[in-house]
Amino acid sequence: MFDAKKHARPEYDVDIYSDEAILRPYGHYREIRERGPAVWLPRNTLWAIGRHADVVAALAANDVLISGNGVAANDMVNAIANNNILSTDEPKHGKLRKVIAAPVMPRGLAAVKDRIVATADETVAGLVSRDGFDGMRDLAQILPLTVVSELLGLPESGRLSMLRWAAASFDALGGVNDRCESAFPTILELREFCNNGATRDAVTPGSWVAGLYDAADAGLIEPSLVPQFTRDYIAPSLDTTIFATGHLMYHLGRNPDQWQALRDSPSLIANAINEAVRIEAPIRGFTRFAAQNYGVDGTVIPAGDRVLILYASANRDERRWENPERFDVHRRVLTDHVGFGHGVHQCMGMQLARLEMRAILQAMIERVARIEVGEPVFEINNVLRGYQQLPMRFVAG
């Protein structure tokens, strides 16, 4: 570990996984950015990188800041989570990613685009006729829990538990706290299901999980990895998209001029999606392990230390973004936000997430004149940022 007597280092005395830091994170991220390019968090015994340029560079340095020793902020999970796609390094990572990412690449998504668009259209049409609804349960969750769960091909018992399993998987990647420890029984339940419930004869033929068994038959992956990669499908395909959709709805509701701009110029849809993911990254950040000394603009992170790379901080860095706390669908050069990560570990499902959010917005543009939103209730999760509930109403027009 780093010897503080020999080396000066910027520090910030905060538990970045506390309830307070989860619910009100942006002041803490700003403080981290101000204190230095890399800041030691003594309560979490790890470094934090929060400036945009430094986050991008750190994510690109995947041969030094490695994922193969785990990406959690605690040793318990890092000791056991060594086969999932998040916790592998090149060249193994790239080979495995080609197999499991195939269904969520543009060619794979082309086969399901019409179904996603039709479901979004039907959902929005139904919500316009209601006096009010929960934007999370009645809108943001619909596509992931219907179309996407069917694409996975899980038995009914698995589909009903997906949200609970996914939330626990992300809680376990945080620091050592009650949420992390409480997640373990749920994660063991998920593992049991993937090992003994999502078997070849139980999943839908032609589904994403069935494709894993086909890949094992073809020698592309080891058969023993099928349960692990099934878990890799379940966790990232839900909460991140659901929370990003909730953030998109909230900011469009709070900024009616931005919604009108989108209705006037639907070509801004891609920008609006990127802006929602930038301003409220659904994943706060993952950790990396320093396999060698790593320099960040004059600060040296010693080999053997762990580093939290804060996507959510980088996306609001004043050094990169003008008025970073403003939601602006006209914002230029939005594609370098890191809400979907960056580099070899960039989110596999980002094209699917964009397709789902685009379908919802297109359906809304045709029917919704005004979006009304109330105060959201936040989900408290060690790694994810999003709403548990979001009161909403669509005003037709």
Side-chain angles (χ1 to χ4, degrees):
M1 294 290 289
F2 193 96
D3 187 345
K5 294 180 179 179
K6 295 181 180 180
H7 302 273
R9 62 183 177 188
E11 294 191 1
Y12 184 38
D13 187 25
V14 65
D15 177 2
I16 205 68
Y17 296 105
S18 66
D19 287 8
E20 188 276 332
I22 288 172
L23 289 171
R24 291 171 288 278
Y26 295 113
H28 295 297
Y29 298 159
R30 187 181 305 110
E31 187 67 26
I32 288 170
R33 294 194 299 270
E34 288 303 311
R35 293 201 178 201
V39 177
W40 179 252
L41 305 181
R43 296 200 206 180
N44 303 114
T45 62
L46 49 76
W47 294 84
I49 296 177
R51 297 175 183 174
H52 180 270
D54 298 328
V55 164
V56 171
L59 292 172
N62 55 283
D63 56 337
V64 178
L65 299 179
I66 63 172
S67 302
N69 284 25
V71 300
N74 68 85
D75 293 336
M76 297 182 297
V77 172
N78 288 329
I80 61 174
N82 52 11
N83 280 326
N84 63 58
I85 195 69
L86 271 178
S87 300
T88 54
D89 295 312
E90 295 296 302
K92 179 181 179 182
H93 174 266
K95 294 177 181 178
L96 296 176
R97 186 180 172 108
K98 285 182 180 178
V99 175
I100 68 172
V104 292
M105 292 295 100
R107 179 177 296 181
L109 292 177
V112 300
K113 179 179 178 180
D114 289 348
R115 173 76 192 285
I116 288 174
V117 169
T119 303
D121 196 64
E122 179 183 350
T123 300
V124 171
L127 294 175
V128 168
S129 65
R130 294 169 57 172
D131 290 336
F133 58 91
D134 179 357
M136 304 310 294
R137 182 192 64 232
D138 300 324
L139 180 59
Q141 292 179 7
I142 295 299
L143 287 171
L145 290 183
T146 55
V147 178
V148 177
S149 68
E150 290 177 14
L151 293 174
L152 284 170
L154 301 178
E156 181 68 15
S157 60
R159 291 199 298 271
L160 293 174
S161 299
M162 283 173 63
L163 277 179
R164 188 166 51 85
W165 288 340
S169 297
F170 283 104
D171 258 335
L173 295 176
V176 179
N177 57 22
D178 290 343
R179 275 186 299 278
C180 175
E181 294 176 2
S182 297
F184 273 81
T186 305
I187 290 173
L188 292 177
E189 180 187 322
L190 170 59
R191 288 187 173 223
E192 170 63 21
F193 171 80
C194 292
N195 287 330
N196 301 309
T199 55
R200 185 193 294 268
D201 58 345
V203 300
T204 305
S207 65
W208 292 357
V209 177
L212 295 176
Y213 286 104
D214 294 340
D217 291 343
L220 300 175
I221 59 174
E222 292 294 325
S224 61
L225 292 178
V226 172
Q228 174 59 68
F229 291 158
T230 300
R231 296 196 291 275
D232 285 345
Y233 275 148
I234 290 173
S237 64
L238 294 173
D239 288 289
T240 50
T241 304
I242 290 169
F243 286 162
T245 303
H247 295 315
L248 178 62
M249 293 299 108
Y250 176 80
H251 284 284
L252 288 172
R254 289 293 185 184
N255 298 277
D257 61 318
Q258 300 296 297
W259 173 238
Q260 188 59 51
L262 204 56
R263 293 195 82 194
D264 293 341
S265 301
S267 61
L268 291 171
I269 283 178
N271 246 36
I273 292 169
N274 275 322
E275 179 69 339
V277 175
R278 180 200 68 81
I279 200 168
E280 293 277 12
I283 293 179
R284 303 168 71 210
F286 293 125
T287 74
R288 300 289 187 271
F289 178 81
Q292 307 169 30
N293 287 353
Y294 180 74
V296 191
D297 194 19
T299 298
V300 176
I301 297 173
D305 280 6
R306 188 160 287 277
V307 186
L308 173 61
I309 303 178
L310 285 167
Y311 312 154
S313 174
N315 280 354
R316 292 204 181 194
D317 185 3
E318 303 83 354
R319 296 158 188 79
R320 172 62 189 84
W321 313 101
E322 184 178 350
N323 298 320
E325 296 180 1
R326 171 175 162 73
F327 178 81
D328 183 2
V329 300
H330 293 97
R331 193 181 293 276
R332 295 184 178 184
V333 197
L334 261 171
T335 53
D336 67 341
H337 73 76
V338 291
F340 289 121
H342 174 77
V344 298
H345 282 279
Q346 191 171 43
C347 174
M348 288 190 306
M350 66 180 180
Q351 299 300 336
L352 174 61
R354 286 185 170 127
L355 175 58
E356 293 178 57
M357 287 189 280
R358 173 178 286 275
I360 290 170
L361 288 178
Q362 287 174 328
M364 289 170 58
I365 284 172
E366 297 176 7
R367 296 180 172 86
V368 179
R370 191 170 75 253
I371 305 166
E372 296 179 355
V373 293
E375 285 301 314
V377 176
F378 275 88
E379 186 81 39
I380 300 181
N381 186 282
N382 279 334
V383 172
L384 298 170
R385 178 169 174 81
Y387 310 135
Q388 185 182 92
Q389 297 172 2
L390 176 61
M392 288 187 66
R393 187 168 82 97
F394 285 159
V395 179

